[in-house]
Structures are given as structure tokens and as C-alpha cells.
Amino acid sequence: MSHLGLNDGIYLRYGGKNYVKINKSLLKGQFVILAIAQFFIAAAFFLLFKITADAEPQRLFVIFYTMIFLVISNTTSYITLSLQSMNRLQDFSRVTLFTNALLVLSFIILAVYGQRTYEPYILVYLAVHGMALVFCIYLIKEVINEPFFIRRIPAYFYEIKKNVSVGSQLMFSTIASMLMLGIGRFFIEKKWGIIEFGKISFVLTITTFFIFFIRQIGIVIFPLLRNKKSEAQKAIYCHTLGFLNCLLFGVLLFFPLLEWGINFWLPKYSSHISSVIIILPVLVFEGKMQVLLSTYMKVLRKEKKLLALNLVGLLCSLLFAAVGLLLNSLILVVLGMTVSIALRGYLVENFLSRHFNVYLLKQELFGLLLPAVFILAFLKLGNLYALGLYMILYLMFLLFQRNELQIFWHLLTVKERKL
């Protein structure tokens, strides 16, 4: 949050622009000001914490290096979002691969040599991200080599103001989206303890792990869509939405396999299978949101609308969590997470359909019916009957979507032939 949405504003306003034609002087000026601002914010926060809190040395150690990470992370994010927005996806992938591979290798080495304290892991984590920042700076060396003119500082700040004005809305929208699941987890930890919190968080981690991979598709299509005309955007939206619905609802068919894995490897978690059933549809709604819906809202520059709809979902999650707390119902809190994500996704999907003047009634009906049947069937029936019922409904959906799937497959094969 300390970048105030500048990085998100860069992503929104520069998305789809050619790197060669970008004003590199303005990009350099904003980067320098951001880096200086992050340094002073981090230093001020650390000093304030040290003066006002009677902190232990270990806590001060963590806070100090967290503030260093804040500076590194936000400056790196500025560059990576710039690379994504200007369609330099190969360079962005190099940074991501370099960082993750080096982190895994470093942690394995520390574990092999018997490191059991957290300090070396924190230092290695910072060192790797520091190297990633240096790598990012190398990738935009044409920008870094631009001179920084003192007399142009007002122009730099004017550009920052424009980027922050739009990026802050996207930043708060992202925070609201995270809190839809975060509020429920907070209430669970406070009311039912760290053990219950850990079990629910484990289920959510499985879901978000899958979403992390498929959201990379959204990163790829954002700069491409910015350069498409409205009709092309409309066609891509309709066909991709149909494909995603078929793919993500199909993933739910593997729930019995997931349940078997939990019972076999983590028998202590088997008592929370009902929570797994309720949370798993989040995979569908959040997957569509990350890959397509949120991407289109950014492309169409509807960040204000996106923020409003995320706040609606957040209020829904807060309401369910409060009622669940009053009734001492963990299931109700968990259900609120899924309902809030589903409601937000439905509202965004409905808004985009009206924007493009398309009516996807079958998709909307099945989009609500399939997860409802999945939850109720697996909660009330045996796995075999529940799987059979859900599969019949899913096959009906595929039958209704066969034309969309054929068109989407045709688009993919045409693209491959061109490549």
C-alpha cells in the first residue's frame, strides 16, 4: 500500500503501449521518486515502531528486514508491472523464474546444512529479491540510463498524480478482494483458535495454489486486449468465458480424489471435509475473476466499478462472518467466504455481459446451479451418488456449450498455425 497505487496506475495507463515508444524519461523519474519515497516511509515506520513499542530484539529484527523488503518489493513491482503492461512477458517470466528457482535452491541448501533458526532464511529471502531487483533494473537499462532532471520534477509528480489517481482504486479493489477471504480467516482464528484456522487455511491454500497458475493467462491477455477493437474484445470475452466455465467446473469432478488424498495423507484434516466441499467452488469463481473478469474490467478502465463490486462482496463476507460468530457456526463463516466470492463474480460477469450487450442466460444459470448442486450433493449424499448427479448436470452444461467450445478450439488452432 505504501506505493499508493502508483504501480497499479502504471499497469493500467501504460497497458498495451509499445516499449520502444514509451516516454522513458517519465518512467525513470517516477521510478527514482518511488524508490526514495519507499526508503523514507520504511525508515519512518521502523523508527516509529522502535520508539513507541517495547519490542523484543527478535521482533525488531523482523520489522527491520520487513521494511527493507518493502523497499525492494515495491520498486521491483514497479518494473515487473511495467514489463507486463508493455507486453514484455518473456522478460517478466525470466524475473519470476529466476527469483523462484533461486529461492527454492537457497532454502534447500539451508535445510541441508541444518539451519533451524529463521534469521538465515529471512536474510536469504531478502538477498534473492535484491538480486531480482538488480536483474529487473538491467532489463530496463534504457530507462535507468535516462538522465534525471531536477527541473522536470514537477512533470514527474504530475505523471505520478495521474497514475496514483487511477491505480489507488485498483489497489483498494485488490485489498477488498483479499479481505473477502481474509475476514473469515481472522474471525476463525480469534473464535475457534489457531488449529481450526490452520485447517481452513490449508484448504484455501490448495485452491489459491491452482489459481496462481491460471491467473498467468490474465497477465498475458491484458496488453493484447488493450489493442483490440470492441467487437474483437466482445468475441474473445464470450468464447473464453465459456471455455473457463467448462474447464473450472470440470475440476470439481476431482473432489473425491482430493478427499481420498486428505484422508490418506492428512487424516487429522478429514473432520473438515465439509469445509473443503463448501470452499472448493471458490476455485471456479476466483479462477474466472483472475483470468478474465478482472482483466476485462482493467482493459475497459472500469476500476471504480470493480472497487464498488469488490466492496459489495466484502460486506457480504463480513455479514456472514458476524452472524457465524454470533451463532458459533464455523460452517456459516466458511460459507460466507464462498458466497461473497460468488456474488462478486456474478455481479462483475453480469456487468460485462451488459456492457458488451450479450445475453449469456444459460451460462449464468449453470454458473449458479453447478456449485450449489456440488455443495449440497456432496454434503448430503454419498460420494458416488453426489458425483453421478453432478456429472450429469455438468455433461448437460457441456452439451449447451458445445458451440462455444468448438469456436474457442478453432481460435486456438488458428493461432498455432500463425505461429
Side-chain angles (χ1 to χ4, degrees):
M1 287 182 63
S2 62
H3 57 76
L4 301 177
L6 172 62
N7 296 350
D8 296 300
I10 292 285
Y11 183 70
L12 283 173
R13 293 188 62 239
Y14 295 1
K17 290 188 178 181
N18 192 307
Y19 179 74
V20 176
K21 298 179 181 179
I22 201 75
N23 190 326
K24 296 179 178 60
S25 177
L26 283 178
L27 206 60
K28 163 70 177 289
Q30 293 176 89
F31 176 75
V32 171
I33 292 171
L34 172 71
I36 294 172
Q38 297 308 297
F39 173 80
F40 280 107
I41 290 171
F45 184 88
F46 176 74
L47 290 174
L48 183 65
F49 182 86
K50 188 176 182 180
I51 293 169
T52 58
D54 186 18
E56 300 174 354
Q58 292 90 344
R59 183 170 294 182
L60 278 176
F61 175 88
V62 173
I63 293 296
F64 177 75
Y65 285 105
T66 300
M67 292 302 100
I68 293 178
F69 178 72
L70 180 144
V71 178
I72 295 173
S73 176
N74 283 338
T75 48
T76 303
S77 174
Y78 179 92
I79 298 174
T80 54
L81 284 172
S82 299
L83 293 173
Q84 291 175 43
S85 66
M86 289 174 276
N87 210 20
R88 291 184 59 181
L89 301 175
Q90 189 175 12
D91 288 331
F92 168 72
S93 299
R94 287 174 181 170
V95 174
T96 304
L97 182 62
F98 169 81
T99 306
N100 293 332
L102 199 55
L103 273 176
V104 171
L105 179 63
S106 301
F107 287 165
I108 289 174
I109 292 173
L110 287 174
V112 168
Y113 279 90
Q115 287 292 343
R116 295 294 180 265
T117 57
Y118 63 87
E119 290 91 344
Y121 290 91
I122 291 177
L123 294 175
V124 165
Y125 189 82
L126 280 174
V128 170
H129 280 85
M131 286 187 280
L133 174 58
V134 172
F135 186 32
C136 285
I137 290 173
Y138 169 76
L139 291 175
I140 60 164
K141 55 184 179 294
E142 300 92 346
V143 173
I144 301 301
N145 290 334
E146 285 286 320
F148 182 86
F149 297 108
I150 301 297
R151 66 176 184 275
R152 293 208 66 192
I153 287 180
Y156 299 148
F157 272 104
Y158 179 72
E159 189 70 8
I160 287 173
K161 180 182 177 182
K162 290 196 292 185
N163 287 325
V164 168
S165 66
V166 297
S168 58
Q169 297 170 37
L170 183 58
M171 180 188 70
F172 286 119
S173 179
T174 302
I175 293 170
S177 178
M178 293 168 61
L179 286 175
M180 281 184 228
L181 298 177
I183 280 180
R185 294 164 88 167
F186 173 79
F187 275 107
I188 290 169
E189 193 271 332
K190 291 298 179 184
K191 176 69 175 178
W192 289 278
I194 193 67
I195 295 177
E196 297 296 330
F197 170 81
K199 290 178 179 179
I200 299 300
S201 293
F202 168 74
V203 178
L204 289 171
T205 300
I206 295 174
T207 303
T208 53
F209 181 75
F210 182 80
I211 292 172
F212 172 78
F213 288 100
I214 64 174
R215 74 183 292 268
Q216 306 306 311
I217 303 172
I219 293 174
V220 173
I221 67 175
F222 173 74
L224 299 175
L225 288 172
R226 286 294 295 267
N227 295 317
K228 297 288 184 181
K229 294 182 179 179
S230 179
E231 284 301 314
Q233 291 176 350
K234 175 181 175 179
I236 294 171
Y237 170 76
C238 293
H239 303 321
T240 307
L241 180 62
F243 170 75
L244 281 175
N245 277 324
C246 294
L247 173 67
L248 295 173
F249 282 122
V251 172
L252 296 183
L253 290 168
F254 292 93
F255 167 73
L257 186 62
L258 175 63
E259 182 183 7
W260 175 85
I262 291 174
N263 290 331
F264 183 79
W265 295 104
L266 301 164
K268 291 183 179 180
Y269 287 75
S270 58
S271 61
H272 281 65
I273 288 298
S274 58
S275 297
V276 177
I277 294 169
I278 295 171
I279 287 177
L280 208 56
V282 167
L283 172 68
V284 177
F285 299 110
E286 190 65 13
K288 287 195 295 182
M289 191 71 194
Q290 292 293 334
V291 173
L292 189 69
L293 304 180
S294 180
T295 303
Y296 261 89
M297 295 295 278
K298 295 172 188 175
V299 168
L300 299 173
R301 297 301 310 276
K302 300 294 183 181
E303 53 270 9
K304 287 184 181 179
K305 188 70 176 180
L306 182 61
L307 173 58
L309 297 179
N310 272 318
L311 288 175
V312 171
L314 177 57
L315 288 174
C316 176
S317 179
L318 184 60
L319 178 63
F320 268 88
V323 174
L325 199 65
L326 290 173
L327 299 178
N328 196 31
S329 173
L330 177 64
I331 291 296
L332 195 57
V333 177
V334 173
L335 180 63
M337 296 180 184
T338 301
V339 170
S340 62
I341 294 290
L343 175 64
R344 186 272 312 268
Y346 173 79
L347 292 174
V348 175
E349 190 174 328
N350 185 262
F351 172 80
L352 288 172
S353 296
R354 286 188 285 110
H355 174 83
F356 287 120
N357 198 27
V358 293
Y359 301 96
L360 305 172
L361 182 60
K362 292 177 183 177
Q363 288 204 41
E364 290 183 2
L365 287 176
F366 274 99
L368 297 175
L369 184 62
L370 279 166
V373 169
F374 173 83
I375 292 173
L376 292 173
F378 278 99
L379 284 178
K380 300 298 182 181
L381 305 175
N383 275 4
L384 185 61
Y385 293 108
L387 182 63
L389 178 61
Y390 181 79
M391 185 174 289
I392 290 171
L393 195 62
Y394 177 68
L395 290 175
M396 289 174 59
F397 178 63
L398 289 182
L399 187 63
F400 284 125
Q401 289 293 113
R402 63 186 184 278
N403 291 333
E404 292 294 330
L405 288 174
Q406 289 173 358
I407 294 171
F408 186 84
W409 178 254
H410 175 71
L411 290 173
L412 286 180
T413 53
V414 168
K415 185 69 176 175
E416 288 177 358
R417 286 198 296 270
K418 287 183 178 179
L419 293 173

